[in-house]
Amino acid sequence: MKNKIVLLSIITLLFGFQKLLGQNYLNYYQTINDAEIAHLDGNFQISDSLYRVSFNLVNKPFKEDYLLAAKNSEMLRDSERTYEYLRKAISNGLSYKRMKKQLSIFKKSNRWKIIKREYDSLHKDHLKTLNIQLRSEIAEMVKNDQKARTPIFGSWRKMRKIDSYNYNRLLEIIKQNNDKWPGFSVIGEITPRGKYDVTENITLLPLHFRKEWIVQLKPYMLEAVLHGDMYPYQYARIIDYRIGSEEQENIVYKENNRVKISDRCNLYGTYLNAKVCDCEIAEIERKKIGFEPLEDYYRKVKGNYECLGNR
C-alpha cells in the first residue's frame, strides 16, 4: 500500500511538472512577443530587459529569439551583449549564413571576429545534442515532399505516394520517440528563414496531409508547442491550412446589411492578407498556444487580415 502511495505521488508530481513546463513556455511566448513589440516601438532597452526575463523562464529558449535579441542589442551599441546572445543562438542551431545576413553594426566590432572563430566549435557541440540520423532522414522526407511537387519531377500519383509514406513514417518516429513529436530537442530548430516560415522544416510535411491524418497528429504537435519543441506559428499554420479553414467553411457574415458567404477562412490567422473566421475566437485560441495577438503578429510580418464572423 505504501509503495502505491509513493508511486501515485511521483506520477502526480510528474504531471504537475509537465503542466508547469507548458505554462512556462506560454509565459515565454508572451514575454518574447512583448520584447519584439518594444523593439518595433523603438524601446530597445525595455526590449532587452524583456528578452533577458524571457530567457530565464525556460531551460531552452529558441535560437530565433536569441538572434532577435542580438539584433536589438545592436541598436543599443552593446557588442558584448550581442556577442552573448549570438553564442546562445549558435549553440541552439543558428547558421553562420543567417547570422551574417541579419547583422550589420556588430560586424564592425572586434567581437564579430571572435564569434566567427568560435562558430564551428559551437555548432559542432550543438549537433552532438541531436539525433543526427533522424535529422537527416526528416530532411530527406522534406526534400522528397518538395520534389514530388515540382513540374518536372512531380505528379499527382507521386505526391499521394510520398505524403502517405511521410505520414506513416512520422507515426513510427513518434512511437519510437516515446510518443513525442520529433521537435527541436530531437532534430534541432531548422528555420533558415525565421520562425514565421516552414521552409526545410518538418512542419512543412503536414501541410500536404489529409485532414484525418492531421487530426491524428494534432495532440502530438500541440504538446510540442507547449513544451518548446515547435513554434506556435507552425502549429497554427497547419491547422489553418488543413483543419481550421475547412471546419469554418461557408461561414455566414453580414456586410453592408447583406449576407455573404466566405468559402474559406482561417481559425487562427497565419497567412498574409488572411480572412479570419472569427477574430474573437481566434484571439482565445491563439492565447491557448502562446501565439501572439493578431494585431501584433500582422504588424511583425507586415501583413493584413480581415475579420469575418464577428462583424
Side-chain angles (χ1 to χ4, degrees):
M1 182 66 181
K2 184 177 180 181
N3 289 338
K4 288 183 178 180
I5 294 174
V6 172
L7 180 59
L8 181 60
S9 299
I10 293 173
I11 292 173
T12 303
L13 285 171
L14 288 174
F15 178 73
F17 175 75
Q18 290 295 320
K19 289 187 67 176
L20 178 62
L21 184 60
Q23 184 60 49
N24 283 351
Y25 269 100
L26 289 177
N27 293 337
Y28 171 80
Y29 296 140
Q30 180 179 336
T31 311
I32 285 292
N33 179 60
D34 291 342
E36 291 172 351
I37 294 302
H39 174 85
L40 290 177
D41 289 339
N43 299 321
F44 305 126
Q45 191 63 61
I46 293 175
S47 177
D48 183 71
S49 297
L50 288 168
Y51 274 121
R52 296 182 80 79
V53 168
S54 66
F55 295 150
N56 284 315
L57 290 175
V58 294
N59 292 329
K60 195 173 179 62
F62 298 158
K63 72 172 177 66
E64 289 298 321
D65 296 330
Y66 277 126
L67 175 59
L68 291 173
K71 292 177 66 176
N72 181 74
S73 62
E74 261 196 318
M75 304 306 295
L76 295 170
R77 302 299 194 274
D78 191 336
S79 59
E80 186 62 37
R81 188 157 292 181
T82 303
Y83 167 76
E84 173 192 332
Y85 288 141
L86 287 175
R87 289 190 91 254
K88 294 286 189 179
I90 296 168
S91 295
N92 282 276
L94 179 66
S95 70
Y96 178 79
K97 180 180 179 181
R98 180 159 173 75
M99 176 176 68
K100 183 178 180 181
K101 184 177 181 180
Q102 292 292 314
L103 299 170
S104 55
I105 301 170
F106 180 72
K107 289 190 288 187
K108 300 175 183 178
S109 71
N110 290 329
R111 283 296 186 183
W112 172 246
K113 297 176 182 178
I114 297 174
I115 203 75
K116 286 200 298 182
R117 289 199 301 266
E118 293 179 333
Y119 178 82
D120 285 343
S121 177
L122 291 170
H123 183 63
K124 288 178 181 177
D125 287 343
H126 166 65
L127 293 179
K128 291 177 183 177
T129 68
L130 306 177
N131 185 331
I132 297 301
Q133 183 177 349
L134 182 58
R135 176 185 170 103
S136 298
E137 180 184 356
I138 290 175
E140 188 66 21
M141 290 165 65
V142 173
K143 181 179 177 181
N144 290 336
D145 171 277
Q146 293 298 283
K147 188 176 180 180
R149 286 167 169 79
T150 58
I152 298 176
F153 301 103
S155 68
W156 180 249
R157 181 176 295 179
K158 189 170 184 179
M159 283 190 286
R160 290 175 62 185
K161 182 179 179 180
I162 290 294
D163 293 344
S164 179
Y165 172 82
N166 285 345
Y167 168 67
N168 286 293
R169 180 61 186 130
L170 260 181
L171 289 180
E172 292 176 353
I173 291 170
I174 289 170
K175 186 175 181 179
Q176 293 166 0
N177 191 42
N178 298 315
D179 289 328
K180 305 288 184 184
W181 180 264
F184 299 155
S185 61
V186 178
I187 61 172
E189 187 183 334
I190 304 171
T191 49
R193 297 183 183 177
K195 61 183 177 181
Y196 299 125
D197 192 86
V198 295
T199 301
E200 298 179 22
N201 190 275
I202 186 174
T203 53
L204 177 67
L205 302 178
L207 292 175
H208 304 135
F209 289 170
R210 297 175 185 173
K211 178 181 176 181
E212 57 266 29
W213 296 354
I214 300 299
V215 171
Q216 290 293 319
L217 293 173
K218 188 177 177 181
Y220 304 109
M221 295 190 293
L222 178 58
E223 182 186 31
V225 171
L226 297 178
H227 293 83
D229 264 326
M230 180 189 292
Y231 279 109
Y233 163 82
Q234 295 171 335
Y235 172 82
R237 178 168 173 174
I238 293 168
I239 302 304
D240 270 356
Y241 189 69
R242 301 308 302 167
I243 296 184
S245 55
E246 293 178 13
E247 288 182 346
Q248 302 293 337
E249 279 183 358
N250 299 325
I251 184 170
V252 177
Y253 64 94
K254 291 183 178 181
E255 185 176 271
N256 298 326
N257 295 321
R258 294 180 63 187
V259 174
K260 297 186 67 177
I261 297 179
S262 170
D263 60 352
R264 197 166 183 83
C265 58
N266 290 171
L267 173 63
Y268 289 102
T270 51
Y271 290 86
L272 299 182
N273 303 313
K275 292 181 178 180
V276 181
C277 304
D278 187 311
C279 286
E280 291 182 4
I281 292 176
E283 296 291 14
I284 293 171
E285 294 303 314
R286 292 169 80 95
K287 189 173 183 179
K288 290 178 182 178
I289 62 171
F291 196 7
E292 58 263 55
L294 285 161
E295 184 177 346
D296 291 351
Y297 168 71
Y298 279 100
R299 181 184 177 189
K300 286 188 277 188
V301 299
K302 299 178 180 179
N304 299 301
Y305 66 97
E306 180 183 1
C307 298
L308 301 183
N310 58 334
R311 294 188 174 197

